[in-house]
Amino acid sequence: MSALNLTRAQLAVGAAALTLIGALGGYGLAHLRQTAPAASAGPEAGRKVLYWYDPMVPGQRFDKPGNSPFMDMQLVPRYADEAPGTAGVRIDPAQLQSLGVRYATVRRTAFAEDLTAPGLLEFNGRDVAIVQARAAGFVQRVYGRAPGDVVTAGAPIADLLVPSWGGAQAEYLAIRRSGDATLEAAARQRMRLLGMPDPLIDSVARSGRPHAVVTVTTPVAGAIQTLDVRAGMTVSMGQTLAQVSGLNTVWMTAAVPEAQAGLVRPGASARVELAAFPGEAFSGRVSAVLPSAQTESRTLQARVELPNRGGRLRPGMYGTVHLDGPTRPVLVVPAEAVIRTGRRAIVMLALDGGRFQPVEVKIGREDGGLTEILGGLQEGQRIVASGQFLIDSEASLAGLQARPLAPAITPQSATAAPTLLESRGRVEALKGDQVTLSHEPVPAIGWPAMTMTFKLDPPGLAAGVRVGDQVAFGFEQRSDGPVVRRIAPAGARR
């Protein structure tokens, strides 16, 4: 019996312990349900809440706390002193160090409008000689030439028998023996009209014998392009026997993209690199830019004339043409600092206090690891050159909008009065010559509703305005950001 009583006592104690644990657990869960939402959703004392948002969907805003409709979590408050338009997104210095963030400065430097284009070596089309038969005759001998052979000036091509020249030369010799200088001059002129060169006429006069066989030679040095003469064939007067292209100079024909055709000017210096001679550059000048574009490739052809010392440059070789354009000072940033989204380009601007602001920029050309900045930044500003993608992700999670690019100033708009863009909003902060406004969308420039900081011009423009007021305001887009030129309480006009 004692053992049975002991067992019953142990079971009773265990049941009591389980009951106590369950009661304590229920009290803890109930207390947690009562306190946890209040702790997570309640705003900090003394800080003004602008709106509530879900960190996973930062673009959606709510006017009161509660559960997120997107995730199983509480909405988070956005305070006025950390508004995106006020001072950008803040990153902890320890995180910046771990990310390996590097900075760069927007600077002005000389930027050459260089152009690189592929090219093909060709014969100089202006240095071509045509070898023709001066009279009808027969080919007695050819000198073993073939197309592609490189010959010197005066190299023999073929021997021609010209019967008509033999009779004229015999007549000339008979008149010359008569001693009549007038008739001799007339006979000599007749032989010239028949096509005989002066050296052949002088040779007939010295030897006293007719020379009906004449050797046809090349007038220039170069490469034989065509050779249409064979032993035993009959030729007519003016028939082309050979074509010789000179090799003293050659053409590099460059295919210049149509969009860059404005950078090419006749007479501009050029530098040519060939795969056949690595590490060596050949200097020349643009001799012509052809007037028509290639419809298939949308390119223009620019001819660069190159001296061909030693005949090293052979037509048919491929190469690269570098054209040096005019140099002008421009704003540049490291090419790696630019974030390209497809529709626009973003640069992360480094502000004071470890804060960062994404800024939309207009970019130009690239050269030597630098990108030309046409708008959106000013000289001397500090930007993020490395690690900007992670900072941009933080800015996106915080709902931070990139500062839009100011409209380009045209010659007409530069002289006209600036246009005021109108909107309405709530004053969130006033500090010196700046005002922070939560404003409505501005359709004229594609702005959504957001909170951002504007400059005041003049600085005392908002003298009668208080934080929390609903105001109507007009602002201008300037190169250094938006500037408020008129502000007044909603429903009033100033």
Side-chain angles (χ1 to χ4, degrees):
M1 291 297 293
S2 61
L4 180 59
N5 292 335
L6 180 60
T7 301
R8 289 176 177 175
Q10 289 176 344
L11 291 174
V13 171
L18 290 175
T19 303
L20 179 60
I21 292 173
L24 291 175
Y27 173 79
L29 289 175
H31 181 72
L32 181 61
R33 287 170 182 167
Q34 293 173 0
T35 59
S40 61
E44 298 181 13
R47 300 183 69 185
K48 181 178 180 56
V49 177
L50 294 179
Y51 56 87
W52 304 76
Y53 71 100
D54 184 341
M56 303 304 295
V57 190
Q60 185 69 35
R61 301 178 181 182
F62 304 90
D63 57 358
K64 59 183 178 180
N67 290 325
S68 170
F70 310 105
M71 303 288 178
D72 186 16
M73 60 185 298
Q74 293 288 314
L75 297 176
V76 178
R78 171 69 68 189
Y79 298 100
D81 56 2
E82 62 178 13
T86 303
V89 63
R90 188 181 187 280
I91 308 295
D92 185 80
Q95 293 182 354
L96 292 177
Q97 186 174 3
S98 64
L99 293 176
V101 174
R102 292 187 292 106
Y103 300 95
T105 302
V106 182
R107 60 189 178 93
R108 191 174 298 275
T109 186
F111 209 80
E113 296 185 0
D114 297 337
L115 170 64
T116 301
L120 178 67
L121 277 180
E122 298 178 348
F123 288 102
N124 187 339
R126 298 188 181 95
D127 188 9
V128 179
I130 303 297
V131 181
Q132 292 181 324
R134 290 175 174 248
F138 309 94
V139 179
Q140 282 195 335
R141 177 187 177 187
V142 292
Y143 283 83
R145 309 296 182 188
D149 288 352
V150 178
V151 296
T152 59
I157 297 294
D159 289 345
L160 300 182
L161 173 61
V162 184
S164 60
W165 285 4
Q169 292 171 4
E171 182 180 347
Y172 166 72
L173 292 175
I175 294 174
R176 190 170 186 271
R177 284 192 294 268
S178 69
D180 190 333
T182 303
L183 292 177
E184 181 182 355
R188 193 179 184 95
Q189 181 63 23
R190 180 172 178 268
M191 287 191 294
R192 288 195 188 97
L193 295 176
L194 289 175
M196 295 183 209
D198 285 338
L200 177 60
I201 297 175
D202 294 339
S203 176
V204 171
R206 287 193 304 269
S207 64
R209 299 194 311 269
H211 294 291
V213 177
V214 60
T215 300
V216 179
T217 61
T218 59
V220 298
I224 297 177
Q225 296 297 300
T226 61
L227 184 64
D228 299 322
V229 58
R230 297 292 184 269
M233 67 180 293
T234 301
V235 296
S236 58
M237 183 175 61
Q239 180 177 338
T240 299
L241 305 180
Q243 177 179 321
V244 182
S245 294
L247 291 174
N248 290 330
T249 59
V250 291
W251 283 346
M252 170 64 80
T253 303
V256 180
E258 184 179 0
Q260 297 178 294
L263 302 178
V264 185
R265 295 284 187 277
S269 60
R271 182 168 48 89
V272 176
E273 296 176 350
L274 299 171
F277 308 103
E280 188 174 357
F282 300 86
S283 299
R285 289 194 174 275
V286 178
S287 60
V289 179
L290 300 191
S292 60
Q294 301 295 311
T295 56
E296 297 84 2
S297 59
R298 304 313 306 167
T299 58
L300 269 72
Q301 291 185 320
R303 289 174 179 167
V304 178
E305 190 166 331
L306 301 171
N308 189 16
R309 301 179 182 88
R312 300 173 65 203
L313 305 182
R314 301 178 181 274
M317 289 181 173
Y318 284 94
T320 303
V321 180
H322 303 275
L323 298 175
D324 299 329
T327 300
R328 55 188 178 89
V330 298
L331 289 179
V332 295
V333 299
E336 60 180 342
V338 182
I339 303 174
R340 293 170 173 84
T341 66
R343 295 187 302 107
R344 58 180 182 172
I346 301 293
V347 170
M348 196 61 62
L349 188 63
L351 307 176
D352 296 334
R355 293 184 176 272
F356 302 89
Q357 171 72 46
V359 177
E360 182 180 355
V361 295
K362 183 178 181 182
I363 60 176
R365 296 164 294 109
E366 290 190 9
D367 183 57
L370 298 176
T371 299
E372 179 185 8
I373 298 297
L374 301 176
L377 292 176
Q378 294 181 349
E379 185 177 2
Q381 288 182 318
R382 192 160 167 257
I383 63 171
V384 179
S386 176
Q388 68 273 25
F389 289 97
L390 296 176
I391 298 176
D392 183 57
S393 299
E394 290 288 337
S396 298
L397 288 176
L400 182 63
Q401 300 287 339
R403 190 178 75 191
L405 186 66
I409 299 176
T410 62
Q412 293 80 6
S413 63
T415 57
T419 303
L420 283 182
L421 301 168
E422 302 288 341
S423 185
R424 300 169 69 90
R426 174 187 171 88
V427 178
E428 304 297 348
L430 283 168
K431 183 179 180 181
D433 63 345
Q434 295 182 340
V435 58
T436 301
L437 297 168
S438 295
H439 63 79
E440 298 174 354
V442 186
I445 54 176
W447 280 13
M450 58 182 173
T451 302
M452 64 182 299
T453 298
F454 296 80
K455 286 187 177 181
L456 295 170
D457 186 14
L461 186 64
V465 178
R466 301 282 188 271
V467 174
D469 286 353
Q470 294 290 337
V471 295
F473 65 97
F475 67 97
E476 299 173 359
Q477 283 280 50
R478 297 182 182 175
S479 59
D480 57 346
V483 178
V484 173
R485 296 302 308 277
R486 182 180 60 78
I487 184 170
R493 297 192 61 86
R494 178 175 297 183

